Amino acid sequence: MSQPQADSAPAPEKGGDDLATLAKGGRTNTMGFAIRLVARIPFLVIATRLYGAEALGRFASAMVLIEIIALICSLGEKRGLAQRLSEGAGEDRSAEANLVYDGIALALIYSGAAALLLLAFPEPMFPNGTNSAWDIWLVATIPAFAVTEILLAAQAYRFDIATTVRARAIVEPWTISIAAGVFFYLPGTRDAGLALAFIASIYAGLLTAAWPFLRTYGLPRNWTPRLRAMLAMSTRAFPLVGADAIERGTRLLDIFILGLFAPPQAVGIYYAAQQIASLPQKLKTSFEPILSPVITKNLRIGNMGAIAAQVRQVGFWIIALQLGIALVLGLPGEAVMGLWGPDYVAGTAALAFLLAAEVVASMAVVSESVLVYIARKRNLAISVGVIALQAGLTIALIIAVRNAGLGEGYQAAGAAGALMIALAVSSLVKALLLKHLLGAAVSNWRWPLVHAAGAAVVVGYAFTFLPEWIELVFGIPAVLGTYALVIWRRGFGEEDKVLFRKQVAPPPDSAAP
């Protein structure tokens, strides 16, 4: 897709308004990240201590396929819906609601078909077997997951990020944590506890998203499914679907391949490490829901310079926050993994690689948030190449480690290392393409990141010589405080600091943002 041209002369920049909007949305979702961190810990403790690495590995292998299929069935509406609604600017609210219901109906058709197909042929979900007969009903989460993605995207278009925080950072993680504990102690559901808890959490998230959506958009009025329009929407969504599925697939492909080539214990160890590393991954998605409406607005008026500035700004916010979190979780890696049990300490190297992978991936994620609108096919081609590279590296490293006679922890580390290399390549290639298309620099790199990381590493390394409880209780705050002090003083300018100021962006008008 060629670079879009402005329909008219560019309107005066409202960079301050856009920056305030991005900062407000990022602050809200960053708070959600912190809440998610607290909520995820009980689930990891319950899953690792009560169910064990083998049961956790089987559950993780099944969940991989479920999440990928559900994401495909959402038809890329996480980002595509913002563009469809933006192109419909000026229409009344009922017309906008009907556009959303078109996407929901299509998602239900695809997800229903996918669920029935997996019910008939469940073998791909369970490469290492099942924990119980109830595991097959994980397919029931596919329609709920897909619809929830669309509902949250519709709310994000109205700058309602709080609903995403409630659904993804509070309701879902706390539901799966509580339900996993309850099902473990209920007669007849102990083996099925992880699967049943996951099902409960997905439907709880759906209900949490549906209530504010109905208050914002209402029920459909004068709406009937338009088959021709829905078919056109499916065709148009293909590049977005591919980009979303591959972006998420890069975080799940390694688990799937591990399930094929390694024992379930290795999958369980890797999954525990990945759940910790996924916290900074969720942080970078904090800005995605609010970034899409801002980008589509500037694309509509042809303001490419403003888009490049937003990419640079948000990209630096993300990498600065992610690097700090990676240092806080990675430097005391053995102590962190040891929280789940002695068997999981073998995943320390995998945790380090996974945390590094999320840092190097930050530029790819921000670049892709623009490329999916102005170069869909090229972005998809790059993503396909990257995931193919990851698959090849993962298989090669796992086989090499296995042939060397090394244990499960090294196999997990090999998969994590392959992911890190693939994501680094993705960031480099996508940033260069976006720079070419926008005609402006988009890099999020600043040298003060090195200064802050260096100071934090010195402090963190010193704490590794002390008992683990001191390393966790006092070392983590010391590392975080050192990094934050240096990056704030040497890396953050006045525009950067707006992220931490409690200011409110101007409310959007009644038309599309």
Side-chain angles (χ1 to χ4, degrees), residues 460-479:
Y461 182 71
F463 273 93
T464 60
F465 293 96
L466 300 175
E468 284 191 355
W469 71 269
I470 295 179
E471 187 180 1
L472 291 172
V473 175
F474 298 104
I476 286 178
V479 171

Side-chain angles (χ1 to χ4, degrees), residues 158-171:
R158 292 291 167 202
F159 299 105
D160 174 16
I161 307 302
T163 296
T164 300
V165 171
R166 281 193 296 270
R168 298 294 195 212
I170 300 175
V171 173

Side-chain angles (χ1 to χ4, degrees), residues 61-244:
S61 296
M63 194 182 64
V64 165
L65 196 61
I66 292 292
E67 285 199 18
I68 288 294
I69 291 177
L71 198 61
I72 292 172
C73 293
S74 68
L75 300 172
E77 290 287 77
K78 184 176 181 179
R79 287 179 284 203
L81 184 62
Q83 186 175 33
R84 291 201 297 126
L85 292 174
S86 183
E87 289 173 349
E91 297 184 20
D92 59 32
R93 289 293 179 90
S94 63
E96 286 185 351
N98 289 346
L99 285 174
V100 179
Y101 282 109
D102 283 343
I104 292 173
L106 201 56
L108 286 173
I109 292 172
Y110 282 117
S111 58
L116 290 174
L117 186 63
L118 282 178
L119 276 175
F121 305 99
E123 290 80 10
M125 284 197 300
F126 308 112
N128 285 316
T130 62
N131 291 322
S132 75
W134 288 93
D135 287 13
I136 187 62
W137 294 108
L138 285 168
V139 300
T141 63
I142 295 176
F145 190 101
V147 172
T148 303
E149 285 288 293
I150 297 174
L151 299 181
L152 294 178
Q155 288 301 106
Y157 182 74
R158 292 291 167 202
F159 299 105
D160 174 16
I161 307 302
T163 296
T164 300
V165 171
R166 281 193 296 270
R168 298 294 195 212
I170 300 175
V171 173
E172 285 186 8
W174 277 111
T175 300
I176 195 173
S177 298
I178 295 170
V182 170
F183 285 126
F184 182 82
Y185 290 105
L186 284 179
T189 61
R190 171 170 293 194
D191 292 338
L194 292 175
L196 294 175
F198 181 72
I199 294 170
S201 71
I202 294 300
Y203 276 91
L206 173 62
L207 294 175
T208 304
W211 177 249
F213 169 79
L214 291 174
R215 292 179 61 186
T216 303
Y217 290 88
L219 294 170
R221 285 174 289 181
N222 301 320
W223 173 79
T224 53
R226 298 169 297 166
L227 296 181
R228 183 174 298 179
M230 291 168 70
L231 180 61
M233 192 175 86
S234 299
T235 304
R236 184 181 180 185
F238 176 74
L240 276 177
V241 171
D244 282 347

Side-chain angles (χ1 to χ4, degrees), residues 291 295 306-316 363 366-367 369-370 434 438 442-444:
L291 191 57
I295 288 172
I307 294 174
Q310 289 153 9
V311 168
R312 290 193 301 270
Q313 183 67 73
V314 173
F316 175 69
M363 192 66 240
V366 183
S367 298
S369 65
V370 183
L434 184 62
L438 297 181
V442 296
S443 175
N444 63 347

